[in-house]
Amino acid sequence: MKVFDFPLVKIAIAFILGIIASYYLHLSISIIIFFLLLSFTAFCGASIWNLKRNRKSIFFGLSSYALAFCIGTFTLLSHTENLQKNNYTHFQAAFERKQPITLILREKLKSNDYSDRYIGLIKTISGKNYSGKVIVNVQKDSTNSRLIVGNNIKLQTVLQQNKPSKNPNQFDYSRYLANKQIYAQIYCQKKEILVSKTIQKDIWYYCAKLHSRIISNLKESNFNQTEMNVALALILGQQQEISQDIIQDYQYSGATHILSVSGLHVGFIMLFITYILKPIPNTKKGSFFKLTSILVSLAGFAIISGLSPSVLRSVVMFSFLAIGNHLRRNGNIYHTLLVSILLILLFEPYFLFDVGFQLSYIALFFILWLQPILKNIYNPKNKLTIYIWEALTVSFAAQIGTLPLCLYYFHQFPGLFFVTNIIILPVLSFIMIAGIVVMIIAIFASPPLFITLIFEKSIYLLNLMIHAVASVDSFVIRNISFNLYHFWAFSLFIIGTIIWIKKPSFNKLLFVFASIITIQLSFILTKIETENEEELIIYNEKNNTLISERLGKNLTLFTGVTLPENNRNISSYLVGNSISQSKTKEIRNVLYFKNNKILIIDSTKVFPEKVNPDILVLTQNSKINLDRLLENLHPKIVITDGSNSNSIQKYWKNSCLKKNIPFHSTKEKGYYKL
């Protein structure tokens, strides 16, 4: 099957490119509307031309792709909430001083050591109607009173803007939240919150209530807390209470995907329901009943799991597959996938930038495309061998397809992923069946002890197997430098190789060789960029001063203490910039970088006299008179790092404002780079 020859593929690609262009180019609404109307007019004109002459023209195809592109750009813009006039981001005073804010709690997030966290929908600020999502951080205390989804709350507070990553090459939590249309956070205590007696009883309220009822009934049946947390993650996708050690085991063994309810879980439920309904004949009525049962079951699962985005997109994806199967359109299963992608992105275009969305669809596509090829390499006769071989081929197909993306985002590779998938699939299949039964019973009452015990022990066994695989630490390859050049080059190589294997030809083989040359070019380009890069970075290191000077591949670290081998900030920088080693020197009072003289003053307050620095760096809560120092030194900018307290930085900031000298706090703005 020529996957890439489908006309819908070109429409989908144009639509997705429109979303990407709108995301990165920040096009204005007036420009987008103008081109949308222009492309629509061209499309209508081309359609009329085709109808009159009863033949296709190249102009019709081009106008179709242009229209799809413009619809993509407009779709993303229309779903960007901070562009709407009533979004709270336009009320600047709310970010500067306390304002009375009313909001509805929509979703419970994973708590941290200090706070319970929720997603809230803002209703009013200072009595005026505003909208938008925020994260509400409620400080933990000794009281047992807990907020619930649907609560209308009021509090007097200041909105805190999401802060970018504090150090280079680290996860940008600010962008991650912005992609979810969350632009601010609220930090408060329970005593500051006034909870209204009125509860917003929408579908999210009832989903949360149903989820709470399930947890309550599971606790009554004496379900072990550790196993119950894993069960809630496996069946309902609720990872709020699962421990970090267990998450790490699943990461190192290559089984993280089973903790996040996604295509694997929803696909299993679809297969399970299909198997139960197998005795029903495939008549017109019987087939329709099967389809209805599958769609209702998938929708019910989405509701029980709390309508999380990952579950919703997986339910939509497999609902379309079920509909395609009902219409006997198995030959066009790629069409079905593309339709589900287009439908999801029309309503939630920002899903395109979600790692889970990307991995789900790429994994499923490669299972459908590559797994049949791998399966035909070997034809076992024994049932056990058939099972193992099918599990291996499915696992390899998904892993090969998602490999470039996983390396680009996570920079690590679990070498024993195929072992993990073989040993956990039998247990996982049983857990999914038993789990669904237990969760359905828990909706109405506490599950019987013997069912709970069987379910609990099966999860205990699963955790044990995962931990055994994860403990073979030497097979977890970490800190793999993999940039955007590598991602595209390896993706082209994988796709080209599969196309050539499916139907070999000389031209396809040439494409494979060209992709190999592209891989080599990606490494050459990376090497050239690495060797030509020169930069000095002042990090935001807690209770420590850390400065790095990079001249090509040579990295020198200046610090006052001995750094641990696995320092997170340095490791991220080395991996992100394809540097394998560095050397450490004791920090000095004066550093020179290109044409800049950098003066560093620490708690000793000792520094050379008659120094006229371009940059002044204050560290270790230095007890200096900054007003007098600025009079004498006249630096171009003052920088304070993470070793200083917040209170002293406020004083320094005011001193700089008086002298009209730029002030950069790494605690507030993140690392500083020259």
Side-chain angles (χ1 to χ4, degrees), residues 589-656:
N589 289 114
V590 180
L591 295 176
Y592 296 91
F593 183 76
K594 293 190 174 180
N595 297 321
N596 294 288
K597 184 186 292 183
I598 304 164
L599 176 63
I600 302 167
I601 302 179
D602 57 20
S603 56
T604 63
K605 300 185 288 185
V606 176
F607 61 93
E609 294 182 3
K610 297 181 180 179
V611 175
N612 295 313
D614 299 290
I615 298 170
L616 174 62
V617 181
L618 302 175
T619 69
Q620 307 296 329
N621 292 315
S622 180
K623 302 288 197 249
I624 57 167
N625 187 327
L626 187 58
D627 292 311
R628 187 170 60 192
L629 195 66
L630 295 178
E631 285 283 350
N632 297 329
L633 299 180
H634 304 292
K636 294 177 182 177
I637 186 171
V638 173
I639 301 168
T640 64
D641 65 8
S643 66
N644 300 294
S645 66
N646 293 330
S647 57
I648 200 167
Q649 289 195 65
K650 287 181 181 178
Y651 162 72
W652 288 338
K653 186 176 183 179
N654 290 331
S655 297
C656 290

Side-chain angles (χ1 to χ4, degrees), residues 51 94 103 176 180 182 283 318-319 435 447 449 506 526 563 636:
L51 288 171
L103 50 86
Y176 169 79
K180 294 182 178 295
I182 300 172
T283 60
F318 279 95
S319 295
L449 184 61
F506 180 72
T526 301
L563 291 173
K636 294 177 182 177

Side-chain angles (χ1 to χ4, degrees), residues 384-518:
L384 179 62
T385 315
I386 291 171
Y387 160 76
I388 293 174
W389 180 242
E390 286 191 350
L392 269 174
T393 54
V394 168
S395 179
F396 267 105
Q399 199 71 47
I400 288 169
T402 57
L403 180 63
L405 206 61
C406 288
L407 292 178
Y408 177 69
Y409 282 123
F410 308 119
H411 300 288
Q412 67 178 27
F413 179 73
L416 294 177
F417 71 90
F418 58 94
V419 176
T420 303
N421 282 282
I422 289 172
I423 66 173
I424 70 170
L425 275 178
V427 182
L428 185 62
S429 302
F430 176 79
I431 286 173
M432 290 297 294
I433 296 168
I436 291 167
V437 172
V438 169
M439 296 300 169
I440 291 172
I441 295 172
I443 293 172
F444 306 100
S446 179
L449 184 61
F450 77 95
I451 295 179
T452 303
L453 193 63
I454 293 170
F455 186 39
E456 180 187 311
K457 294 304 177 186
S458 63
I459 292 175
Y460 175 77
L461 178 63
L462 177 68
N463 288 343
L464 210 61
M465 292 189 297
I466 292 290
H467 179 71
V469 177
S471 61
V472 187
D473 198 57
S474 56
F475 282 91
V476 183
I477 307 168
R478 301 184 186 88
N479 298 331
I480 303 170
S481 294
F482 202 83
N483 58 27
L484 208 55
Y485 298 143
H486 301 140
F487 169 76
W488 287 115
F490 276 92
S491 297
L492 283 173
F493 172 71
I494 290 169
I495 292 169
T497 304
I498 295 170
I499 292 172
W500 174 69
I501 290 171
K502 282 181 77 73
K503 196 172 181 181
S505 71
F506 180 72
N507 289 336
K508 291 174 183 176
L509 186 61
L510 281 180
F511 181 81
V512 174
F513 286 140
S515 65
I516 294 172
I517 294 171
T518 306

Side-chain angles (χ1 to χ4, degrees), residues 209-218 220-221 300 304 436-448:
K209 192 174 182 181
L210 187 65
H211 180 243
S212 298
R213 184 178 176 83
I214 290 171
I215 293 176
S216 176
N217 286 332
L218 287 176
E220 284 182 17
S221 64
I304 292 172
I436 291 167
V437 172
V438 169
M439 296 300 169
I440 291 172
I441 295 172
I443 293 172
F444 306 100
S446 179

Side-chain angles (χ1 to χ4, degrees), residues 274-285:
T274 304
Y275 179 77
I276 291 173
L277 299 174
K278 199 173 183 180
I280 298 174
N282 286 323
T283 60
K284 190 175 181 180
K285 288 184 179 179

Side-chain angles (χ1 to χ4, degrees), residues 356-394:
F357 178 85
Q358 296 167 11
L359 290 174
S360 291
Y361 270 101
I362 290 173
L364 183 58
F365 174 79
F366 272 87
I367 288 170
L368 294 171
W369 191 38
L370 179 59
Q371 195 265 344
I373 302 173
L374 298 176
K375 187 180 176 182
N376 291 332
I377 294 173
Y378 172 58
N379 294 309
K381 306 298 180 185
N382 182 276
K383 284 187 177 180
L384 179 62
T385 315
I386 291 171
Y387 160 76
I388 293 174
W389 180 242
E390 286 191 350
L392 269 174
T393 54
V394 168

Side-chain angles (χ1 to χ4, degrees), residues 253-270:
S253 64
T256 317
H257 55 285
I258 72 174
L259 286 181
S260 303
V261 171
S262 57
L264 174 69
H265 303 72
V266 180
F268 180 84
I269 291 168
M270 179 175 159

